[in-house]
Amino acid sequence: MNGYAPPRSPRPRSGALRNRRDAARFKAGDAIVLAALALGVATVAGLQLSRVDASTDAEAIVHCPSRCLEIRRAGAAPEYIALQTPAEAASDAQPSHFIERRGPAGVTVIEIANGRARCHTSPGAQGLCQRAGWLETPGDTAISLPNRLRLTVIDPAAPYDAVHF
Amino acid sequence: MASLSACQRVSPPPVTLSFDALGTLIDVTVWDATPPDGERLIAVERTLRDAVIAAQTAFHAWQPSAVGEASEALRRGERFHPAPRVAALLDRALDLAALSEGAFDPSIGEAVAAWGFHADPPAPRRPTDDWLAEWRADPPDHRRIVRVVSPPPLDPETRPPVSDASLSRSPASLAGPAFLGRHPRLKLDFGGIAKGEVAITLLDILRRDGWPAAIVSLGGDLVLYGRPGADVAAPVRAERGRDWRIALRAPIAPPPPPSDCETTARRDGDRPAGLDAPLADGGLIGAFALPPAPADRPHALFTSGVYERGAWVDCTWVHHLIDPALGRPVRGVQAATVWHNDAVLADAAASALLVAAGQRDPVETPHDRIARTTRVAARLGVTHWIVVLDDGSIFATRADDGWFVPRADLAERVVWLASPTAPAATPLPASSVPPTPGGTPR
C-alpha cells in the first residue's frame, strides 16, 4: 500500500458502512433511541447492529472512534477492536496479542500487533484467511469461509463506502 | 455558526444485516434519512432472510434444489418446465452463454463436481485424464439444452371455451419456458450467475420497503443504489453530493506449493495462478467512483477470482473456476471485474471474462488473450471491466470515465484499453469527483 493516496472527499465523511464517527454527532436523545433500538432489535436472531456483548473481550468496543479491526460473523453482532495508528505503533511497539473467535468449523485465532491484525490460524484447508496476510490499511480484508468470519480494517476517516472483492 | 451548523447534514449511521447462505456471507447495508424504526428493521430482516433461504432452495448446485431437479430432467432428455425462477434464470443464462462464446456456461456442473467443488467444504482433486479427454471430445455444454418454443395462442374465434377447472390445472403455457436436454451428463451450476439474481431480489425488497440507499454484498460482490453520505434522502439526480467510493481488493496469491513441487514437473506444463507477481495481499489495488444510482438501475460490481477457493493438487493450483471448453480450472489469470447496471449480466460476465483471459494454449500471448476478452466483453455489452493476469499486469477499460483509479504505485502496471462505444451505466449528474491520484480526470 505504499504510496497510495486514496481519493479524498471534499466533505470528509465516515465513508463507513456502519455506525462510527456519525454516532458522536447525535444528540443524547438520539443515542437513547438508538441504544433502545439496538437492544430491541438485536434480540432477533441474526439481526446485526453495532453493539458488542459485554461478555466478549475487554478490548471490544461498541463504536469505532478511529482505526479499528472489525470482526463480523454470520449470526453474531459485529465487533470492533481498536488498532494503533502506524505512528503510535512505531513509537510504542506492543507485543502481539491474540483473540479467539469460534465459528461453525472451529476456532479462528486473530493476532493483533503494532496497529495491524491478521488471521493467525483458522480452519479450512485452503488457508484463505491466513493468506490475506497482515491487515493494516482501511479496507484490508481477510475471510474465513468455513467459519463464516470476516476481518476488515476500518477507519472513520477512510474514504470508502464499501470494499469490493 | 448557526447557519454553518444548519448546513451540516447528518444522516443516521447505516445498519448492516448479515446472512450466511449460498456458501458465503451476505451483508445488506441500508441508509435512511432518519433513524430506522425497530419494527421496520425486524420486518425487512425477516423478508430478506426468507428471500435468501428461497434462493438457496432454488439455486443450490449439489444439495436438493429446483436446479438439481432441472439437471435430472435435462439428463433424462425429457421436455420439462423448471420452477419459474429457475426457468427465467436458465433462459437468461443460455443467452449469455451464447453471447460469451461459451466462456460462461450454466451447464458446467459436472466439471465443477469432478474437480471437487460440489462439496462443503470443497475437496479439490484432479479428475482422470480419461475424464478430461471425454469432456473435451463431447462437452455437455449450453448448446445441448434446447428451449422449446411454445405454440402461438389459438385464434380467439376458434379457441375452445376455457372452464375454471381447466385454468386451475395451470396449463403449461403459464409455467414458463420449457427445456429439453440433449446430453446425458448435463448438470446445471448457477454459481456464475445466481448471485446477481439474488442481489437484484434483495435490492427489490429494499426498494419496495422504501430505503433510499442500500448496498448488498454477496461475498464481496456488490450491488448498490441511492446516494451515499449525508445526502441519502436527496433525489439521485440532484446536483449535489458525491459519488459512491468503492475500494477494490487485490487478488490474494495462492499459498506456496508444497516443497517437493520444486522438482516435480507440473501436469500440462502450466504455471500456477497468481505466483508470478502477486499484488498486495489483502490490500487494495484501487478504487471506483460511481455516481448515485436510481433503484431501478443499480450499480453492480462483480469479480471472479481464482484465489477464492482452491488447493494444491499434484503441484498444480486447483480452483473452482472452470474453463467450460477445456473442463479444467482457468489458468494464467488472477481476477476479472465487471461494472454494469445489470447484476445478472455483471455476474456472468465476470466469469466469462476470467475464462476468456485465461491461457488456453501454451502459444497464446497476453495480447491474444486480452483481444479475446475484449471481443467477449463487447458481445456481452460490457464496457467497464478489469482483468488481472498472472504476471500482475492489469488491463482496464474506460480511462476516460475515471470510474476506476488504480493505486498510485500500481498505475504503471495498468494497460488502459480503448473505450468501447456502448454505455454501461446511466450517466447521472454528478457529483464532485475527488482528486484521483494516478488516474485520469473525468
Side-chain angles (χ1 to χ4, degrees):
Chain A
M1 301 309 300
N2 293 338
Y4 184 41
R8 285 287 171 193
S9 166
R11 184 179 61 254
R13 297 276 307 154
S14 73
L17 282 176
R18 293 160 201 96
N19 185 358
R20 291 172 213 156
R21 176 180 290 173
D22 290 342
R25 297 179 182 165
F26 285 165
K27 293 178 291 187
D30 294 330
I32 293 170
V33 169
L34 276 181
L37 180 67
L39 287 172
V41 171
T43 56
V44 178
L47 183 56
Q48 309 300 317
L49 294 179
S50 295
R51 61 178 281 275
V52 173
D53 293 334
S55 59
T56 59
D57 300 79
E59 63 265 37
I61 52 180
V62 175
H63 301 303
C64 179
S66 58
R67 205 164 162 274
C68 293
L69 175 71
E70 179 189 69
I71 306 173
R72 183 166 281 275
R73 291 175 290 163
E79 303 169 72
Y80 302 96
I81 311 293
L83 296 175
Q84 291 178 300
T85 65
E88 290 169 344
S91 63
D92 181 24
Q94 300 286 329
S96 292
H97 68 282
F98 299 87
I99 299 171
E100 294 184 355
R101 288 293 176 272
R102 181 168 291 280
V107 174
T108 295
V109 179
I110 305 158
E111 180 179 4
I112 297 176
N114 301 324
R116 55 188 191 163
R118 70 175 173 180
C119 219
H120 182 269
T121 52
S122 194
Q126 303 171 66
L128 189 65
C129 194
Q130 298 93 315
R131 278 158 45 201
W134 284 105
L135 313 177
E136 49 190 330
T137 303
D140 286 1
T141 300
I143 293 178
S144 169
L145 282 174
N147 260 355
R148 305 291 190 253
L149 174 145
R150 189 182 66 217
L151 308 175
T152 307
V153 174
I154 62 171
D155 189 332
Y160 304 118
D161 298 299
V163 178
H164 171 51
F165 49 91
Chain B
M1 290 301 293
S3 60
L4 183 63
S5 173
C7 288
Q8 190 176 40
R9 293 183 293 272
V10 176
S11 296
V15 175
T16 297
L17 313 170
S18 295
F19 307 92
D20 171 12
L22 298 169
T24 191
L25 290 169
I26 300 176
D27 289 339
V28 177
T29 303
V30 291
W31 284 258
D32 203 350
T34 56
D37 173 75
E39 290 188 3
R40 182 187 179 202
L41 276 173
I42 292 170
V44 76
E45 191 272 346
R46 284 179 181 154
T47 307
L48 292 167
R49 182 173 296 280
D50 289 347
V52 166
I53 293 170
Q56 181 137 322
T57 304
F59 297 138
H60 206 290
W62 69 90
Q63 291 179 3
S65 69
V67 161
E69 293 171 6
S71 294
E72 292 286 342
L74 287 171
R75 282 196 291 275
R76 288 196 301 268
E78 301 168 355
R79 171 182 164 154
F80 74 107
H81 290 272
R85 189 174 184 182
V86 171
L89 195 54
L90 178 56
D91 198 41
R92 185 83 197 279
L94 292 177
D95 286 342
L96 295 173
L99 284 171
S100 70
E101 303 174 352
F104 161 77
D105 198 314
S107 61
I108 201 174
E110 183 176 302
V112 179
W115 286 89
F117 292 97
H118 276 183
D120 191 11
R125 60 177 181 268
R126 191 182 196 280
T128 64
D129 290 342
D130 288 345
W131 183 93
L132 278 169
E134 190 176 350
W135 176 279
R136 291 170 189 175
D138 185 21
D141 63 23
H142 65 281
R143 294 170 295 185
R144 303 303 190 93
I145 302 175
V146 179
R147 278 175 283 206
V148 182
V149 179
S150 301
L154 297 172
D155 185 334
E157 297 298 321
T158 59
R159 185 173 53 196
V162 178
S163 66
D164 289 347
S166 65
L167 279 177
S168 68
R169 287 198 298 269
S170 299
S173 60
L174 300 179
F179 297 88
L180 179 67
R182 287 187 173 163
H183 197 296
R185 294 162 64 192
L186 282 167
K187 185 176 186 183
L188 298 174
D189 185 329
F190 283 175
I193 195 170
K195 283 201 289 186
E197 195 267 14
V198 174
I200 291 175
T201 300
L202 300 183
L203 276 195
D204 280 346
I205 291 170
L206 299 171
R207 177 178 53 81
R208 289 197 303 271
D209 202 48
W211 296 94
I215 294 179
V216 172
S217 170
L218 297 106
D221 290 319
L222 303 179
V223 182
L224 58 102
Y225 71 82
R227 175 179 286 282
D231 299 312
V232 62
V236 294
R237 295 180 184 277
E239 290 280 356
R240 73 182 196 203
R242 63 167 174 84
D243 287 348
W244 289 99
R245 290 189 293 264
I246 311 293
L248 175 61
R249 196 184 71 178
I252 299 174
S259 56
D260 58 349
C261 288
E262 293 303 318
T263 57
T264 304
R266 296 187 178 97
R267 293 194 192 205
D268 301 338
D270 68 306
R271 293 184 303 176
L275 287 189
D276 289 356
L279 303 175
D281 283 359
L284 310 178
I285 60 172
F288 302 100
L290 308 180
D296 59 350
R297 281 184 69 78
H299 294 304
L301 281 168
F302 278 78
T303 289
S304 284
V306 303
Y307 46 92
E308 286 287 351
R309 294 174 171 85
W312 288 99
V313 178
D314 294 346
C315 298
T316 296
W317 179 250
V318 171
H319 59 83
H320 72 298
L321 294 170
I322 305 295
D323 184 327
L326 301 177
R328 55 115 170 111
V330 177
R331 294 174 185 151
V333 59
Q334 297 188 50
T337 298
V338 169
W339 170 41
H340 204 279
N341 290 125
D342 180 339
V344 172
L345 172 58
D347 192 358
S351 304
L353 299 195
L354 185 90
V355 169
Q359 184 90 37
R360 289 180 170 174
D361 184 311
V363 301
E364 281 187 330
T365 66
H367 178 272
D368 298 333
R369 293 152 57 195
I370 294 302
R372 181 171 58 223
T373 308
T374 303
R375 184 180 72 242
V376 170
R379 287 174 56 88
L380 289 167
V382 171
T383 56
H384 293 71
W385 53 269
I386 301 165
V387 162
V388 182
L389 298 185
D390 256 8
D391 61 3
S393 56
I394 302 169
F395 293 83
T397 62
R398 305 292 299 210
D400 53 321
D401 275 11
W403 70 292
F404 172 64
V405 180
R407 207 174 74 198
D409 61 319
L410 294 179
E412 63 183 24
R413 288 198 194 192
V414 179
V415 178
W416 292 100
L417 302 170
S419 297
T421 52
T426 306
L428 291 171
S431 39
S432 46
V433 178
T436 54
T440 53
R442 261 178 153 170

